[in-house]
Amino acid sequence: KQEVTQIPAALSVPEGENLVLNCSFTDSAIYNLQWFRQDPGKGLTSLLLIQSSQREQTSGRLNASLDKSSGRSTLYIAASQPGDSATYLCAVKSGGGATNKLIFGTGTLLAVQP
Amino acid sequence: KAGVTQTPRYLIKTRGQQVTLSCSPISGHRSVSWYQQTPGQGLQFLFEYFSETQRNKGNFPGRFSGRQFSNSRSEMNVSTLELGDSALYLCASSPDSIYGYTFGSGTRLTVV
């Protein structure tokens, strides 16, 4: 059974700092991995999608890496800003067809202090 | 390009009642999934529909059901509401398996 863990559960950093959020999963047979952010009381905003054959994806100040063999993904945020404050969730999709669903981690609550 | 639209945004229902939530996916997306988010359990998968067929179902009681129409719009229904059904219900759409998901803003259901 796939389990997804995110460390740390909460993180507070001063503005301008570079930071890394971690996501680990127990079954390396994943289809893809997606990073989301969630603002309080809101839906999920997709940040980056990494297919199982890829090692990393970049979008602006965000870079996500994937190491399937070790069951790990990291989300790197460069030059953090107060607007980056949110909960960050990683989700893995294992297989397709009948197993076509996302398994979510518990999230990292990020606070960027001005 | 319109995103995923969920209606209503907020609902308050009484125990024992039933409720229907609606989701309109991005145009051209045939896969619609539903998730429940609670502080205690996090995000949990309810079910997925693809071309009007339920393709996958999570571990929820039969009180939770759904359907998808020919225009890919989806509804989920919860009957005999319990206090524990209070949650944020999120809908996500995708073209299909290899693509990522786009989520709606959710429906906040409160059962009193």
Side-chain angles (χ1 to χ4, degrees), chain B residues 21-100:
Chain B
L21 312 182
S22 179
C23 172
S24 293
I26 291 173
S27 178
H29 287 194
R30 294 189 294 169
S31 170
V32 175
S33 303
W34 290 89
Y35 292 80
Q36 180 196 66
Q37 186 177 31
T38 59
Q41 299 297 318
L43 275 151
Q44 292 188 291
F45 172 78
L46 281 157
F47 27 67
E48 185 222 5
Y49 287 86
F50 184 85
S51 294
E52 301 181 65
T53 301
Q54 185 181 86
R55 193 158 66 169
N56 197 8
K57 189 176 191 303
N59 189 27
F60 278 81
R63 300 185 297 106
F64 291 82
S65 63
R67 59 178 176 168
Q68 186 180 32
F69 302 94
S70 59
N71 62 358
S72 292
R73 189 177 72 84
S74 177
E75 290 182 345
M76 69 163 279
N77 184 275
V78 188
S79 62
T80 320
L81 284 165
E82 300 176 359
L83 295 179
D85 297 333
S86 295
L88 180 65
Y89 289 87
L90 293 163
C91 167
S93 78
S94 173
D96 201 356
S97 300
I98 65 168
Y99 301 96

Side-chain angles (χ1 to χ4, degrees), chain A residues 31-32 34 36 38 41-44 46 49 51 89 93 96-102 104, chain B residues 9 31 35 37 43 45 48 55-56 88 90 96-101 103-106 108:
Chain A
Y31 209 73
N32 58 43
Q34 199 165 357
F36 296 91
Q38 185 175 33
K42 301 292 179 65
L44 307 182
S46 179
L49 169 70
Q51 300 294 347
L89 294 149
K93 183 193 287 191
T99 59
N100 200 34
K101 63 181 180 182
L102 292 176
F104 282 88
Chain B
R9 289 296 311 277
S31 170
Y35 292 80
Q37 186 177 31
L43 275 151
F45 172 78
E48 185 222 5
R55 193 158 66 169
N56 197 8
L88 180 65
L90 293 163
D96 201 356
S97 300
I98 65 168
Y99 301 96
Y101 290 86
F103 280 77
S105 299
R108 171 73 63 185

Side-chain angles (χ1 to χ4, degrees), chain A residues 50-96:
Chain A
I50 311 178
Q51 300 294 347
S52 62
S53 58
Q54 297 176 319
R55 295 300 300 266
E56 66 178 294
Q57 282 285 345
T58 298
S59 175
R61 294 182 295 109
L62 305 179
N63 176 277
S65 67
L66 174 64
D67 184 342
K68 265 198 346 175
S69 61
S70 67
R72 290 183 174 184
S73 176
T74 61
L75 179 66
Y76 174 83
I77 303 177
S80 58
Q81 303 170 357
D84 295 330
S85 298
T87 296
Y88 289 79
L89 294 149
C90 71
V92 300
K93 183 193 287 191
S94 296

